[in-house]
Amino acid sequence: MGVAWILGIRALLLVLTSFLGNSPLAEAVLGALLVDVASGRAGVAWVSEELGRTELRRRCVYAGVIAFAAIGLALAASVIGGFAALRGGAPSVMLLASLLGVFTQAIRDELLLRALPFRFAREAGIPDGPIVVFTALLSPTAFLLSGATAPAAFFSFSSGLLFATMYARWSGAWAAIVAHSVVLAVSGPLVRGGLLEVSFVRGELADGALAAGAPAIMGGVLMSIAALFVWLKGPALIPGPRAPSAETSS
């Protein structure tokens, strides 16, 4: 049943892309809305246990900081290693639109690739470990057939591993969405003419199939380390009951 929901929603997203491919922001916003409505019909909740606002905010802050550290270190290592050049950016109003697109893309992907599989797999009694790995493997599937490089697939998988681990350890989609948004923003609009301008001369650290070379490999390694840290230390960082096996309504 879970696979049917994933494939069905993915098919609807492809139809949406065919109509709105020339408008990335509209595609991201409508795609997030479509996935939210469809996953809600499938019984998916944004959180897997009852959380107060303060507790939810803490988890999101921890998720954002860890994701920022991982992607920020990857960018810094790329510059220090001579794979990229850094100079000042030129922020504009369009940066806000780009960040909106980043946030809605993160919502779309985390609900589809993490929340939906977790909902059905936990109901089937599958432990969180295998679900984390499976949902991480879903991340590069969107571009594998487009001739993506191995570093791109590795970076996408490792990023998905971090987001999936946060979903499992920190009670649902919000922490994963925040972390995903941070990675997309820091590797995208914020350093592509926003706050900074990072120009890669060898390889690329970017979302999806655009990632390549040593920067993508370094990013993947750091994302994997961050995922291991959250898996081992996440519950201790933010004490609380483990997520139950079945999703509960937010």
Side-chain angles (χ1 to χ4, degrees), residues 29-223:
V29 172
L30 292 178
L33 179 61
L34 186 155
V35 174
D36 183 26
V37 172
S39 60
R41 293 295 300 271
V44 172
W46 284 51
V47 293
S48 52
E49 66 178 7
E50 294 297 331
L51 296 173
R53 290 185 179 181
T54 300
E55 189 68 14
L56 181 60
R57 191 181 302 116
R58 286 185 65 202
R59 296 178 188 217
C60 290
V61 168
Y62 272 95
V65 169
I66 291 171
F68 180 82
I71 193 65
L73 285 173
L75 283 169
S78 298
V79 173
I80 294 171
F83 299 100
L86 177 66
R87 61 179 182 271
S92 67
V93 176
M94 289 304 299
L95 177 60
L96 297 178
S98 297
L99 293 177
L100 174 61
V102 158
F103 182 61
T104 53
Q105 180 182 337
I107 292 174
R108 179 196 68 194
D109 290 351
E110 291 311 308
L111 291 179
L112 178 63
L113 303 181
R114 251 67 68 179
L116 197 60
F118 262 96
R119 179 257 186 273
F120 286 100
R122 279 176 168 173
E123 189 176 83
I126 300 173
D128 278 357
I131 308 174
V132 166
V133 175
F134 172 75
T135 57
L137 288 169
L138 292 178
S139 289
T141 57
F143 59 85
L144 279 180
L145 298 180
S146 63
T149 63
F154 174 60
F155 178 66
S156 182
F157 165 76
S158 301
S159 300
L161 193 66
L162 175 60
F163 309 146
T165 302
M166 288 178 171
Y167 187 100
R169 288 309 204 198
W170 287 338
S171 307
W174 275 114
I177 288 169
V178 170
H180 198 153
S181 298
V182 168
V183 170
L184 289 175
V186 175
S187 63
L190 291 180
V191 299
R192 308 288 175 162
L195 301 180
L196 297 171
E197 179 68 51
V198 177
S199 302
F200 285 88
V201 293
R202 285 182 292 166
E204 186 77 32
L205 187 62
D207 180 46
L210 296 177
I217 294 173
M218 290 188 293
V221 170
L222 288 164
M223 290 291 171

